[in-house]
Amino acid sequence: MSNPNWRLGTKCIQEGWEPKSGEARVLPIYQSTTFRYETAEEMGDLFDLKAAGFFYTRLANPTTDAVERKVAALEGGVGAVMTSAGMAATTMSIVNIAHAGDHIISSSAVYGGTFNLFYKTLKELGIDCTFVAPDATEAELEAAFRPNTRLVFGETLSNPSLQVLDIELFAKVAHAHQVPLIVDNTFPTPINCRPFEFGADIVVHSTSKYLDGHASALGGIIVDSGRFDWAAAGKYPELTTPDETYHGIVYTEHFGNAAYITKCRTHLMRDLGMSPSPMNGWLLSQGIDTLHLRMPRHCENAMKVAKALQADDRIAWVSFPDLEGDPQHALAKKYMPNGTCGVISFGVKGGRESASKLQSHLKLAAIATHVADLRTCVLHPASTTHRQMNDEQLAEAGVRPDLVRFSVGIEDADDIIADIKQALDQL
Ligand SMILES: *Cc1c(COP(=O)(O)O)cnc(C)c1O
C-alpha cells in the first residue's frame, strides 16, 4: 500500500496503518502494555534484535508504530520514534549521540523549554551548548565549533519569534565538520517545509501543536533521514562499535542507514522510557489525517488577520514572515513557499498596558499558553509568561512590552478579525 510517490495529502491519510484482509479499516488502539508469544525462541530473538516485533509498549506498540510510519513518510525519512512529549523527542535526539564531555551548537532562537534544556539540564549532564544567532554568518558558525562538537540544532520557524532558520547554510557548515544538523520542524509541519530536502539529517517535532492540531494530546517524534554517514564521520562510537547490552551489535553494520533511529528506540526508550500512550498515538494519527487541509487554512487566515491589523491605525506593528516587506520574507519564501504557519505577533499602541487589556476584551480568541492548534488563542507575554521582567529585561529577551502573540485558528477569518476589532474598540 505505502507509496513514496504519493503526494503529501494522500500520505496524510493513507500512510501508516495498512490493514490486512478482514482487519479494522481505521487504526485500532492497541491499549496493551505487552504482547503474547508461543515459544521462548520467538521472544528471545526479539530481545537479541534478531527479529522485529512487539513485546513491550515502552519500546514499540502497533498503534504508535503506524503513526511513526506516517510521519516518516511525510518527512521523507527512513524511520521515526514517537515520544511522550516534544521535549522528550528533543532530549532523546541529542543524548542519542552526545554524552558527558561533548559539545553542541544551537540557534538561540528556540522554544523556551528547549533553551532551558540546553542551558541547564544538558549542562548538568556534562554536555555544553554554544548558542549562535539564527542569522549567524558562515564565519560565525565556524567559530562556534570545537573538536568535541557532536551536532548542530535549530528550529525551522522559531517559537515564538518566528525566525526562519537558513537550513542550507547550517547544514553545510555542520557537514563540513562531519556532524549532523537536527531541525525542530514543529511550526511549519512537513506540509509547509521538509528540512531533509535542504540538508537536515534529523527532524524532531512537538506533535502537541499542528500535527495533532486539536490540542488533545501531548507528543513528540524524531525522524531520521538515513542520510548521515556515521561511520565516515568517525566520531560516533555509540553507533559504530559493539553495544555490549545487545550482545555486541554494531548499529551501523546491523541496521545500515537506520542506525540512529534504531538506537533511539532500542537503547534510549529501553533505558529512559519516554514513551507515548497508544491512545495519544491514535489521536495523533487521527489529527494528521487532516493536516494537509488545516495548514493552508491556518496560513490563509493568518494572512487575512495580519493584513487587517496592518490597516488598523490602533496597531503599532505586525510581524508575520508571509507578509511582503517582512524582514524574514525572502528566507521564508525559500523554505516555505506555500506559507509558514498561523502564528503572528503584533504591537498595540498604548504599550504594555493596552496589550494586556486587549487580551481580556477578546471573546473568540482564548487566553492560553498553547499555540498552533485549530482554535484561535492569544497571549501577551509581558503580562503572563514574562511578567516578572521589567521593560529593559524584556528587551534583552527580544520580547517587546506591547507584543501580542496571536495563534490564528481555522475558524472563519472574518469572525477572528471582528473579535480583535471589538476588543480594540474597548481600549
Ligand atoms: C511546544 C514546543 C516544544 C515542546 O513540546 P511539548 O510537546 O510541549 O513537550 C518544542 N519545540 C517547539 C518548537 C514547540 O513549539
Side-chain angles (χ1 to χ4, degrees):
M1 255 228 309
S2 170
N3 182 344
N5 297 323
W6 276 336
R7 286 150 188 90
L8 290 170
T10 307
K11 286 182 179 175
C12 280
I13 295 171
Q14 296 288 347
E15 286 285 353
W17 175 240
E18 296 179 25
K20 297 182 197 74
S21 192
E23 282 186 342
R25 178 68 194 94
V26 175
L27 173 64
I29 307 170
Y30 286 86
Q31 195 66 50
S32 180
T33 57
T34 194
F35 302 84
R36 175 180 172 266
Y37 286 90
E38 304 205 328
T39 68
E41 287 71 34
E42 284 176 278
M43 191 64 132
D45 283 351
L46 292 176
F47 273 95
D48 286 351
L49 304 182
K50 282 186 193 147
F54 302 102
F55 58 100
Y56 195 52
T57 288
R58 168 149 45 78
L59 279 105
N61 171 283
T63 305
T64 313
D65 176 73
V67 74
E68 287 166 344
R69 281 189 283 114
K70 193 190 276 254
V71 177
L74 285 168
E75 288 286 5
V78 294
V81 168
M82 188 182 168
T83 57
S84 51
M87 289 312 301
T90 303
T91 304
M92 278 180 49
S93 75
I94 288 170
V95 302
N96 201 30
I97 50 168
H99 318 289
D102 287 342
H103 171 252
I104 66 170
I105 296 170
S106 173
S107 160
S108 58
V110 287
Y111 174 68
T114 304
F115 183 86
N116 290 334
L117 169 69
F118 293 176
Y119 187 79
K120 181 173 164 70
T121 307
L122 288 189
K123 191 171 223 139
E124 288 170 353
L125 293 173
I127 301 168
D128 263 339
C129 179
T130 299
F131 290 97
V132 293
D135 57 354
T137 62
E138 187 164 345
E140 285 165 345
L141 276 173
E142 284 285 347
F145 276 85
R146 300 182 193 164
N148 58 344
T149 303
R150 288 294 173 266
L151 61 94
V152 178
F153 188 96
E155 286 176 11
T156 316
L157 196 56
S158 66
N159 175 6
S161 59
L162 300 183
Q163 297 277 322
V164 180
L165 187 74
D166 192 343
I167 300 174
E168 279 184 350
L169 176 66
F170 273 61
K172 178 182 152 198
V173 181
H175 294 163
H177 289 267
Q178 272 143 356
V179 306
L181 173 65
I182 304 181
V183 170
D184 181 333
N185 197 34
T186 297
F187 267 21
T189 82
I191 296 301
N192 285 343
C193 181
R194 286 158 312 284
F196 295 157
E197 292 173 4
F198 301 101
D201 303 287
I202 308 292
V203 157
V204 296
H205 283 278
S206 164
T207 63
S208 322
K209 312 292 167 50
Y210 289 120
L211 283 178
D212 165 62
H214 299 71
S216 307
L218 282 182
I221 202 158
I222 307 167
V223 190
D224 185 351
S225 70
R227 288 205 212 116
F228 192 81
D229 192 337
W230 307 99
K235 2 177 131 173
Y236 302 95
E238 60 279 328
L239 290 167
T240 59
T241 60
D243 179 350
E244 71 278 13
T245 65
Y246 278 117
H247 310 294
I249 267 183
V250 176
Y251 285 97
T252 44
E253 286 172 10
H254 206 83
F255 300 104
N257 68 352
Y260 172 96
I261 201 69
T262 305
K263 180 178 164 314
C264 255
R265 183 186 308 284
T266 56
H267 169 209
L268 292 183
M269 276 304 192
R270 181 196 64 188
D271 294 1
L272 301 178
M274 299 192 260
S275 347
S277 71
M279 182 70 196
N280 282 0
W282 183 83
L283 285 165
L284 177 57
S285 181
Q286 193 84 353
I288 296 172
D289 284 347
T290 56
L291 183 67
H292 59 302
L293 300 179
R294 290 186 282 110
M295 289 313 289
R297 175 68 176 240
H298 277 291
C299 294
E300 187 190 313
N301 277 4
M303 184 61 101
K304 284 185 186 164
V305 172
K307 286 196 167 149
L309 290 169
Q310 269 186 329
D312 193 310
D313 58 15
R314 294 165 294 184
I315 298 297
W317 54 271
V318 181
S319 171
F320 182 47
D322 294 11
L323 283 174
E324 263 173 57
D326 190 279
Q328 300 276 304
H329 189 67
L331 213 50
K333 273 282 164 227
K334 172 173 176 182
Y335 291 107
M336 292 158 275
N338 299 325
T340 54
C341 70
V343 181
I344 67 172
S345 57
F346 58 88
V348 184
K349 282 185 187 163
R352 190 174 189 141
E353 204 179 320
S354 299
S356 175
K357 276 193 193 145
L358 180 86
Q359 289 185 102
S360 318
H361 293 314
L362 289 163
K363 295 195 172 95
L364 183 156
I367 302 174
T369 51
H370 195 253
V371 290
D373 70 69
L374 48 74
R375 293 170 198 88
T376 295
C377 63
V378 64
L379 199 71
H380 174 230
S383 60
T384 56
T385 49
H386 296 60
R387 67 181 288 127
Q388 75 286 1
M389 296 185 179
N390 60 35
D391 286 5
E392 227 166 71
Q393 291 168 321
L394 282 177
E396 271 172 34
V399 178
R400 300 186 225 188
D402 64 346
L403 180 147
V404 176
R405 186 177 76 184
F406 204 81
S407 177
V408 182
I410 57 174
E411 302 93 343
D412 192 304
D414 291 339
D415 288 328
I416 303 170
I417 293 165
D419 189 39
I420 302 174
K421 297 262 180 199
Q422 66 78 27
L424 286 168
D425 289 344
Q426 295 184 60
L427 290 180

